[in-house]
Amino acid sequence: MIIIAAMMLCILANGFDIVKDNKALATIYVSSFDNNTPLANLTQVKFSKLSYDEQHALIFNFAIKDLIYHLEVMSKVTLPLKVVKDVLEIKPPAIVIGKLAQDLGGKLTKNSALRESFSLTVNKDFILIAGESPAGSAYGVYELLERLGCDWTMPGKAGEIIPELYNISIEKQYTEQSPSFEIRFPWYSGGPT
């Protein structure tokens, strides 16, 4: 037990602390380039009437809103969100999503037909979620939430699995993912518009 506890402390010491003792340590950063649809207007938009790029921007904004919500439910702490124009405005520890993550070195070597690939990099200063498009970055956000213990078994609050934690940390890691199929959910979407 002592050896396992020591190993866990080493992993967490080399990881990234998001919340510690119910205090936000990290800030979420997105680029004004990615975040061009105001979060407040999400429920007022008919998804099918949007262009493909507008749909990607909307998916991105849903993911940012979901990230803030899930971290708040987990820890009872709201992480600050900053929309910035340049990486020079980012101060670690930071969760950096989208184009800014690529500018900070978030690798992205895989491509997909609908630009939905992403990479997730965690080091001691940053969580970098770099997407091939805003929708790719959104899939990276949900990958991070899954790695923090979240799951969704069915629509609505009854289907949410969100652990309650006073401390939220994640170990150093790197993953890059690309969809296996050109259209992720053809039975829901009927294909791209």
Side-chain angles (χ1 to χ4, degrees):
M1 292 296 275
I2 293 173
I3 293 171
I4 292 172
M7 287 172 51
M8 289 303 293
L9 285 173
C10 287
I11 289 170
L12 293 176
N14 291 323
F16 183 92
D17 293 327
I18 300 170
V19 173
K20 188 163 182 110
D21 300 324
N22 283 79
K23 182 178 180 210
L25 300 181
T27 299
I28 300 168
Y29 288 90
V30 297
S31 165
S32 53
F33 170 81
D34 291 317
N35 194 41
N36 58 12
T37 304
L39 291 172
N41 296 334
L42 287 178
T43 58
Q44 301 169 2
V45 178
K46 288 217 179 254
F47 196 76
S48 62
K49 303 288 184 199
L50 299 174
S51 71
Y52 190 67
D53 287 336
E54 290 171 328
Q55 289 176 10
H56 274 219
L58 191 61
I59 291 166
F60 178 85
N61 281 288
F62 273 124
I64 300 304
K65 186 177 178 182
D66 281 344
L67 177 63
I68 293 167
Y69 166 77
H70 283 78
L71 292 172
E72 184 174 348
V73 171
M74 289 171 101
S75 65
K76 310 297 185 261
V77 174
T78 304
L79 266 67
L81 171 67
K82 293 191 178 180
V83 179
V84 298
K85 294 181 180 176
D86 191 86
V87 293
L88 298 175
E89 299 176 67
I90 298 171
K91 294 178 178 36
I95 301 171
V96 185
I97 306 167
K99 183 181 179 317
L100 292 171
Q102 290 183 33
D103 294 345
L104 279 174
K107 293 185 254 177
L108 193 58
T109 60
K110 295 182 179 184
N111 295 312
S112 64
L114 297 179
R115 303 183 336 253
E116 294 179 348
S117 299
F118 69 88
S119 69
L120 170 64
T121 307
V122 180
N123 61 42
K124 68 180 183 65
D125 294 321
F126 298 107
I127 294 176
L128 302 174
I129 302 172
E132 193 178 2
S133 69
S137 297
Y139 286 113
V141 166
Y142 293 111
E143 178 68 21
L144 172 64
L145 288 171
E146 286 179 356
R147 289 176 184 235
L148 292 173
C150 296
D151 200 1
W152 306 271
T153 58
M154 61 182 162
K157 291 211 180 280
E160 293 177 349
I161 298 171
I162 306 173
E164 291 184 22
L165 303 168
Y166 293 105
N167 300 313
I168 304 174
S169 296
I170 188 166
E171 66 276 358
K172 283 185 179 180
Q173 59 190 278
Y174 172 79
T175 187
E176 187 170 354
Q177 298 179 22
S178 188
S180 300
F181 296 93
E182 186 171 325
I183 299 171
R184 286 180 183 260
F185 302 107
W187 53 89
Y188 288 134
S189 66
T193 57

